[in-house]
Amino acid sequence: MSFGKMPIANSFIKKNQFKKQFFYNMEAGFCKTCFTFQLIKVPKAKMMFNKNYAYLASTSNVMKKHWSKLSKKIIKKSKLNKKSFVVEIGSNDGIFLENIAKKKINHLGVDASKNVCDIAKSKGINSLNDFFNVNTAKKIKSKYGKADIIISTNTMHHIEDINSVVQGMSELIKNNGTIITEDPSLNEMLKKNAYDQIYAEHMYIWSLNSMSYLFGKYGMEIYDIENNNLHGGCSRYFIAKKNKKRITSRVISHMKLEKKIGLNKISTFYKFKKKINVLRKKLKSTLIKLKKKNKIIVGYGAPAKSTTILNFCDINFKLIDKIFDNSTTKIGKHTPGKSLIKIENSDKFKKTYSDYCVLFAWNHKKEILSKEKHYSRQHCKWIIPVPKLKII
Ligand code: JHZ
């Protein structure tokens, strides 16, 4: 499945960088052996995760509450105390670990991007700026001992050498410890036609089937699963060393569901490809029609996902005047690739007139629409690009 030439999704750029951009051929494929939907080739990790990583997890209050709730659940269920040890892989600005740190539980956040790691450190979170792999895991083990909990949220789809990560997890986790991962789910991506979940940093879109295959290679198994509707629909997996935990009926029925909807067959992905090509044409032609009527169109949210939408649908600054976003790392910059749309502080949204607004952060629809109630009251309209084009 080819998406054409793509920039790195989170590489929001300044005006003087327009001509110096990096592009790669974004092609997705499905492996019939391990059942993983994945990108064929990805840029080098350091090009994506470095001192300028643009995504700050704490920009959403809904996500803050979500991780705080999970931390309480883990502390209770695994009976964590001050002697326990929690490791997070891809800890970003500390949105999850701050809840663990507050309870004075031993912890370590590992993140490859220095800027987000520094934010976490400033919140008092013990953080290591490094890529997690089997070598990092060995170093952590010899310095701190084995972990009771290893958690990785929205990160397992970011790491090319995923085998080294899982091998590292198996080295670092205690015999009776729990590994928890949470990432966008393949089932939900297909259900919602959310092709914008695919970009270089999202090189794998996991399913229960593909995750089970991966962890099975290193003597571990998924014993429980929970699904939620955040970030466009995610699955949370609970993983332990083989035969340490009873496998729940939720896992069995989710396996059956994945088989029923064909997540193990390539034909499913051909259907997805057809559907997203229809969406692609519809979004661009709708914007062109509105522009011909002299309507002012802006965007809300410059998620990594917007890079896929804008570049795949060939939409640029001629169609969308500006995009509003609350990330300090993105404000004042432009969307990457050929789109080059200016990003402005979302606190200017209320004062800036427009007729239509494309909600690129469609996964935060509830939070954003309730924050910006004035927009609909002024008879302006939101354009929701996913799961199907909707004007509300
Ligand atoms: P959002 C991120 O993807 C990055 P992205 C990452 N690659 C990942 O794995 C997934 O999450 C799951 C802005 N915003 O959360 C902030 C407002 O302006 O959909 C963000 O720029 N006002 C690690 O980048 C963007 O929208 C608001 O009120 O696709 C949302 O990005 C809110 C709520 C957000 O993630």
Side-chain angles (χ1 to χ4, degrees), residues 81-129:
N81 57 44
K82 287 175 187 157
K83 285 187 192 147
S84 310
F85 183 38
V86 178
V87 175
E88 184 177 11
I89 303 167
S91 40
N92 198 276
D93 58 10
I95 188 168
F96 169 78
L97 274 185
E98 62 190 321
N99 303 292
I100 300 291
K102 261 185 222 148
K103 297 279 176 199
K104 306 220 170 348
I105 298 168
N106 289 321
H107 62 272
L108 180 69
V110 186
D111 202 293
S113 303
K114 187 173 181 306
N115 60 331
V116 293
C117 220
D118 287 346
I119 300 175
K121 279 182 192 164
S122 71
K123 292 181 185 170
I125 296 159
N126 194 20
S127 309
L128 173 70
N129 176 213

Side-chain angles (χ1 to χ4, degrees), residues 10 53 55 59-61 63 92 154-155 157-158 184 197 199 201-202 231 234 300-306 324-327 330 346 360-361 363-364 367-368 371:
N10 270 311
Y53 191 55
Y55 178 68
T59 44
S60 162
N61 287 328
M63 293 313 295
N92 198 276
N154 294 310
T155 302
H157 49 339
H158 288 72
Q197 290 284 15
Y199 48 92
E201 293 94 318
H202 281 197
H231 276 308
C234 287
Y300 203 109
K305 295 186 288 292
S306 66
F324 295 92
D325 195 285
N326 65 357
S327 315
K330 300 178 187 174
S346 55
F360 289 107
N363 48 315
H364 296 291
E367 186 172 352
I368 293 173
K371 221 187 249 181

Side-chain angles (χ1 to χ4, degrees), residues 342-377:
K342 179 97 188 269
I343 302 169
E344 288 198 2
N345 196 326
S346 55
D347 63 13
K348 290 191 187 153
F349 183 63
K350 279 195 178 72
K351 293 172 223 142
T352 314
Y353 183 80
S354 61
D355 300 296
Y356 288 84
C357 179
V358 184
L359 185 64
F360 289 107
W362 53 268
N363 48 315
H364 296 291
K365 184 171 152 203
K366 209 169 155 200
E367 186 172 352
I368 293 173
L369 264 55
S370 79
K371 221 187 249 181
E372 308 291 0
K373 282 199 187 92
H374 74 284
Y375 199 63
S376 306
R377 275 197 224 114

Side-chain angles (χ1 to χ4, degrees), residues 150-182:
I150 300 178
I151 181 161
S152 172
T153 68
N154 294 310
T155 302
M156 293 291 286
H157 49 339
H158 288 72
I159 311 174
E160 189 177 7
D161 192 3
I162 198 68
N163 281 286
S164 180
V165 171
V166 177
Q167 198 187 342
M169 285 171 155
S170 77
E171 291 255 351
L172 188 58
I173 194 74
K174 280 185 183 166
N175 240 347
N176 57 353
T178 301
I179 297 170
I180 301 160
T181 71
E182 182 169 326

Side-chain angles (χ1 to χ4, degrees), residues 232-253:
C234 287
S235 289
R236 179 182 291 165
Y237 302 109
F238 294 85
I239 303 147
K241 296 224 162 141
K242 265 190 188 144
N243 305 321
K244 286 285 172 197
K245 304 259 166 84
R246 194 179 61 84
I247 292 176
T248 65
S249 56
R250 280 189 287 273
V251 173
I252 317 279
S253 55

